[in-house]
Amino acid sequence: ITHTLSLHDALPICQYRFVRNGLYLTNDNWKTIYSSIGKFNYIDGEESKTAYGVKADTIGGNLIFGNKLIIKNNDGSLKFDNSGLNVLGKNGNSVIINPNDDKVFRLNNGKDDVIYMGKDGQAYFSGVLTAEKGQIASYKIDGDTLSSENTIFD
């Protein structure tokens, strides 16, 4: 059984091609390529680099691993690598988690670390601490009252 395509037969718009050093996939009849496996170029900061791998809009699965795993976005406000997780806000605020640093977890206001957890397990705060209820050492906070066993501050 054979079938010959005429000029009037429509080709499917989703196709793949092997070209030189890669496999390329399209879903718009080769106006664009939406996924590829092989050699590709990319920009890392200001530097143009070449790599072999998978390039796709969406990658799904149960496990991602590698010796040089880096997840980041184009504007540099999010980066996850062997130094930890860095999230930078447009206003300069940042959240940094780095288990190799003396400050394992940090919240920074663009100038100073406002809250951080040290590798010693201690929490450090700067600025104003507001609490309606809780306990600090032997002092209990309840509404407008700060008290310990022998002392009450109103």
Side-chain angles (χ1 to χ4, degrees), residues 29-86:
N29 204 23
W30 299 108
K31 292 177 187 169
T32 61
I33 296 171
Y34 75 88
S35 294
S36 64
I37 300 172
K39 184 178 179 181
F40 61 89
N41 298 315
Y42 67 98
I43 304 295
D44 185 8
E46 299 291 320
E47 187 179 352
S48 178
K49 294 185 176 183
T50 301
Y52 287 89
V54 176
K55 190 172 183 181
D57 291 335
T58 304
I59 299 175
N62 294 325
L63 178 65
I64 298 174
F65 66 94
N67 293 330
K68 297 180 183 179
L69 180 62
I70 298 173
I71 299 171
K72 63 182 180 175
N73 61 0
N74 287 337
D75 69 2
S77 63
L78 177 113
K79 185 173 183 182
F80 182 66
D81 61 12
N82 62 350
S83 295
L85 173 66
N86 292 289

Side-chain angles (χ1 to χ4, degrees), residues 110-150:
K111 296 177 185 173
D112 300 306
D113 290 333
V114 179
I115 299 172
Y116 71 89
M117 302 292 290
K119 67 180 180 180
D120 58 3
Q122 302 295 315
Y124 299 87
F125 301 85
S126 67
V128 176
L129 180 63
T130 303
E132 292 182 16
K133 198 170 195 118
Q135 185 168 335
I136 299 174
S138 65
Y139 291 95
K140 293 182 182 178
I141 303 166
D142 191 3
D144 292 334
T145 305
L146 177 65
S147 62
S148 67
E149 282 187 29
N150 300 321

